[in-house]
Amino acid sequence: MTVDVRPFPRLGWDPLPNSTGIVGRVLVHDDDVLFVAQLRFSANAAIEEHPGPRDTIVVCIEGEGFTSVAGETEPLSEGQQVRWPRDVVHGLWTEGSTMTTLMIEHLD
């Protein structure tokens, strides 16, 4: 057995495309299996509502914001998670607060 230690696929923080006030970095990108990214939301940041191609779990690890799934809106705060089913419209945003999340996608 060989221990497989490697760096993050993207160590630096980059602006998230199609969003406002969000930077992210890719922690895990295991081809065809798993994708994990850490996102930092500034106050009044947003990922606009859109359908996603994969089932996604969003874990709030710090701060608070809001999520929408299929037109229903709920608050999301530290210690909570939400599931976004594939092809269902969803969004994530903050209003006057900051938030840090993990986005976990199963690529299969």
Side-chain angles (χ1 to χ4, degrees), residues 12-70:
W13 294 94
D14 297 313
L16 188 68
N18 302 316
S19 69
T20 304
I22 304 168
V23 294
R25 62 183 179 173
V26 177
L27 304 177
V28 176
H29 191 188
D30 195 354
D31 295 340
D32 302 321
V33 179
L34 186 67
F35 177 84
V36 179
Q38 184 179 10
L39 303 180
R40 291 193 303 200
F41 290 68
S42 62
N44 304 308
I47 296 175
E48 299 300 326
E49 290 189 319
H50 65 284
R54 295 177 207 73
D55 291 333
T56 303
I57 298 170
V58 179
V59 179
C60 182
I61 57 175
E62 186 175 85
E64 60 188 12
F66 297 89
T67 188
S68 64
V69 180

Side-chain angles (χ1 to χ4, degrees), residues 4 11 14 16 20 27 30 44-45 47 51 53 55 65-66 73 76 79 82-83 89 97-98 106:
D4 183 11
L11 182 59
D14 297 313
L16 188 68
T20 304
L27 304 177
D30 195 354
N44 304 308
I47 296 175
D55 291 333
F66 297 89
T73 298
L76 183 67
V82 62
R83 292 179 181 266
V89 174
S97 63
T98 61
H106 300 279

